[in-house]
């Protein structure tokens, strides 16, 4: 066997005349699953002597070439890769039609020896087409390296077709394959026994099919008719005999359904899989020392029932510790940049331009205090998203979802809700939109009601500022506890809703494809980190900027009024008494919570405008630009050094920080310490975690489930937040007092 | 095999990874993937890959910061697994 030097490839557009073709040289078709090495084998056979064309009317490539065997040229056709011949994809239709219409002298099914069982499913279907079949057991070297031993002779004996081990990349076994294919292959159209009932029906149909369609395999066409294959039905033609056969096939399919309780198409595929499973068991042996993949071995630990949850919570605690500690030096630096340096520069610059005092106040106390107050927490989000990107890009997050979902299910929540709930940790809006993947409306509504209890990233700046100000030694624990509280209340709420508002829906299995573990790349991590944080920056420049200006305006109207007498102060003060039992019944806190309905970050910007902006009244301070720039640059260097110390100190036995707690010491944090106690701060944090969703989330709830459910969510969460805040403050006070 | 798999979809609640289910059914994960694909083609299961398919109105659709990267998830379509409960099939030797 050698590649032909004079290429006599058939035309690229292959004939489809429906009649048995007359050929002056043998025709061999290569069939196989995608990635079974079919094209490698084809290239090894034909070398450069091949031609690529399209199947008539289709855009799928069909390659043809010529190879010389026993002194004669042989045409080789590389058909599109297909997993089955069920004609559900263009590739499957082309592969099937080529074999049926061109009737090749032999079809060589290229089988991936490392995935024998899956590939055998196609083999039996090709055999049923009634053409001679040979099997190229390709990638044998890989299979052997993996410790898989295939009894080739037994496989050949059981199937009744030649089976030749090959390694396409090394051209091993090609000559033997072609020789056996062209000399030993015989049609074996009945590899699978479809069971008593189906075989009885097939026996009735096959003679009628043979009479109507003499070409091709009657058994194949009869099977297709039982499956209700529309193309097979059409292929019978328009005669009265064809109509009678179609009616007979439909009646046969119904009889099978009545016996087996399911469609014939399922029964047929089921028997094929049963056959190839038994076949694989008889011919495949895996050595005991066969190496399991690294992914499997890691999954044995991180996705196990026993260790999965502790590992998940341990990793998340580490993420929050890194987030809170490593970002703290940068938070301080950004705070100095906005609330000190830029504020003084803006005030001095506008004063120099003789701007009216209200413009200066708007710029410094409104815009810079508000937007700057929120952007101060950009480092927090950057570190958080970097850590999450590591978990995501490594493939762990998919396992985390899997592990968490099992826990949720164990607690009675609907298993399929896990993706919307996990997505909700980033932002509640896409979390609610992701409920569309649930098929039942009741599941969608139930999950949608729980998504706002997942603490979205917008609430993180509030946690960080309060935790650093009031619990500097336990920042990580406080933040982590808030996330856990949200999850716990989602579980409780879910259980309550299932027993009251929604009848319990029996759920079914669903199967997750988990991606393999991989080493994240720095470029990928940085891209993820920036994409995740981008929205935060965009929001700071739009929603938060607008909210800060409005809050500033309401705080300064009527002109000259004291803040508590302003429109904002009086409005917020009207509802403040309702929060007295929660420990923060003042207009500043309730005002910030009210504006936080726009977006949860606005809680911080509003407090920043009230507390930080309000404290800056008076003459602008002198500006030393060179000194400020030096301070900013040196501050960034110091922040980087401090952050590195924090990260290194996470390693066991390393302590570069001494006994000092790592905390963000911002202007807003200092102001808050004068207006809250640790207990009222804790109650405030719990309230922020749980209270009514932001307007974007409410709009998503309304769009997805209607106004009544959106209103229910609003009032339910408001009541839950008030109750949880009340319990935190009162029980906490009792415990501290006690 | 396929009917056994569909029966599992009906009888077993909650999630399972492809690898675990393959071990449970004593088949290779690749074979199980083929079986699931066949059931998808038959219209008995659905495979969801884009879990935020509902986010068409979102400005961040092409760079969604909150998209959870999982592989595909196979769900049973409503009413598609409600046929006869099938006991596990014995290995069928050819």
């Amino acid at each position: 066997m050698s590649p032909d030097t004079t290429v006599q490839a058939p035309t690229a557009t292959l004939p489809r005349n429906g009649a048995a073709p007359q050929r002056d040289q043998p025709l061999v078709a290569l069939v196989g699953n995608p990635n079974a090495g079919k094209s490698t084998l084809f290239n090894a056979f034909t070398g450069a002597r091949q031609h690529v064309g399209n199947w008539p009317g289709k855009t799928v490539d069909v390659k043809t070439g010529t190879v010389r065997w026993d002194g004669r040229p042989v045409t080789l056709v590389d058909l599109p890769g297909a997993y089955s011949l069920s004609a559900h994809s263009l590739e499957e239709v082309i592969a099937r039609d080529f074999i049926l219409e061109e009737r090749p002298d032999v079809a060589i099914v290229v089988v991936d020896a490392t995935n024998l069982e899956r590939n055998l499913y196609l083999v039996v279907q090709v055999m049923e087409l009634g053409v001679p079949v040979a099997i190229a057991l390709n990638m044998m070297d890989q299979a052997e390296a993996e410790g898989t031993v295939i009894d080739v002779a037994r496989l050949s004996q059981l199937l009744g077709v030649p089976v030749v081990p090959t390694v396409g990349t090394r051209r091993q076994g090609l000559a033997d394959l072609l020789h056996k294919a062209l000399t030993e292959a015989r049609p074996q159209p009945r590899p699978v026994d479809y069971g008593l009932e189906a075989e009885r029906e097939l026996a009735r149909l096959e003679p009628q099919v043979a009479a109507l369609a003499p070409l091709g395999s009657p058994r194949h066409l009869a099977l297709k008719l039982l499956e209700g294959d529309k193309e097979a039905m059409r292929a019978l033609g328009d005669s009265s005999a064809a109509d009678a056969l179609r009616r007979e096939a439909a009646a046969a399919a119904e009889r099978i359904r009545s016996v087996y309780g399911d469609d014939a198409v399922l029964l047929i595929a089921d028997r094929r899989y049963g056959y190839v499973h038994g076949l694989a068991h008889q011919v495949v042996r895996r050595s005991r020392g066969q190496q399991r993949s690294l992914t499997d071995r890691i999954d044995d630990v991180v996705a196990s029932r026993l260790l999965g949850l502790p590992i998940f919570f341990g990793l998340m605690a580490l993420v929050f510790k890194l987030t809170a500690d490593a970002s703290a030096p940068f938070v301080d630096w950004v705070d100095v940049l906005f609330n000190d340096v830029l504020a003084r520069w803006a005030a001095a610059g506008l004063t120099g331009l003789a701007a009216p005092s209200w413009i200066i106040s708007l710029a410094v106390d409104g815009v810079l205090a508000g937007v700057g107050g929120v952007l101060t927490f950009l480092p927090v989000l950057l570190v958080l998203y970097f850590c999450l990107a590591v978990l995501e890009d490594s493939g762990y997050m998919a396992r985390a979802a899997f592990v968490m979902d099992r826990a949720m299910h164990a607690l009675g929540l609907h298993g399929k809700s896990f993706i919307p709930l996990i997505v909700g940790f980033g932002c509640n809006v896409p979390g609610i939109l992701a409920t569309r993947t649930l098929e039942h409306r009741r599941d969608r509504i139930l999950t949608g009601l729980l998504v706002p209890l997942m603490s979205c990233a917008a609430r993180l700046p509030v946690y960080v500022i309060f935790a650093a100000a009031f619990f500097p030694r336990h920042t990580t624990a406080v933040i982590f506890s808030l996330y856990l509280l949200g999850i716990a209340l989602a579980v409780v709420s879910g259980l309550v809703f299932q027993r009251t508002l929604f009848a319990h829906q029996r759920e079914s299995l669903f199967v997750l494809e988990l991606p393999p573990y991989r080493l994240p790349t720095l470029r990928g991590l940085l891209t993820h980190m920036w994409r995740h944080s981008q929205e935060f920056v965009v929001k700071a420049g739009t929603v938060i900027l607008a909210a800060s200006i409005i809050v500033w305006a309401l705080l300064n109207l009527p002109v000259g009024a004291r803040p508590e007498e302003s429109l904002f102060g009086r409005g917020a003060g009207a509802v403040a008494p309702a929060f007295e039992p929660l420990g923060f019944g003042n207009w500043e806190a309730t005002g910030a919570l009210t504006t936080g309905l726009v977006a949860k970050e606005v809680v911080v910007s509003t407090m920043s405008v009230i507390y930080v902006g309000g404290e800056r009244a008076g003459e602008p301070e002198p500006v030393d630009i060179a000194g400020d720039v030096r301070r900013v640059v040196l501050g960034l260097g110091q922040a980087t050094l401090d952050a590195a110390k924090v990260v290194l100190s996470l390693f066991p036995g390393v302590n570069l920080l001494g006994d000092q707690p790592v905390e963000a010491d911002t202007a807003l944090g200092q102001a808050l310490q004068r207006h809250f106690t640790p207990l009222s701060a804790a109650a405030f944090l719990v309230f922020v975690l749980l209270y009514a969703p932001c307007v974007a989330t409410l709009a998503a709830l309304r769009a997805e489930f209607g106004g009544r459910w959106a209103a229910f969510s609003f009032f339910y969460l408001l009541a839950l937040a008030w109750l949880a805040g009340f319990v935190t403050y009162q029980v906490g006070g009792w415990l501290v007092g006690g | 095999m396929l009917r056994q798999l569909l029966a599992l979809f009906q009888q077993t609640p909650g999630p399972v990874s492809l690898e675990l289910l393959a071990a449970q059914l004593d088949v290779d994960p690749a074979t199980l993937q083929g079986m699931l694909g066949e059931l998808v083609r038959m219209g008995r299961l659905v495979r969801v890959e884009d879990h935020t398919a509902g986010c068409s109105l979102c400005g961040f659709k092409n760079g969604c910061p909150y998209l959870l990267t999982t592989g595909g998830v196979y769900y049973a379509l409503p009413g598609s697994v409600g046929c006869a409960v099938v006991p596990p099939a014995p290995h069928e030797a050819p």
Side-chain angles (χ1 to χ4, degrees), chain A residues 270 392 405 509 511-513, chain B residues 1-2 12 15 18 47 69 74:
Chain A
D270 186 52
E392 172 111 16
D405 177 61
L509 181 87
V511 181
L512 292 144
E513 287 173 356
Chain B
M1 302 275 302
L2 291 186
T12 318
L18 190 85
R47 183 177 188 274
T69 312
Y74 294 92

Side-chain angles (χ1 to χ4, degrees), chain A residues 406-426:
Chain A
R406 272 204 312 230
M408 285 181 180
H409 169 72
L411 291 163
L413 276 180
H414 198 293
K416 291 178 193 172
S417 306
F418 82 105
I419 287 176
L421 293 177
I422 294 281
V423 169
F425 279 114

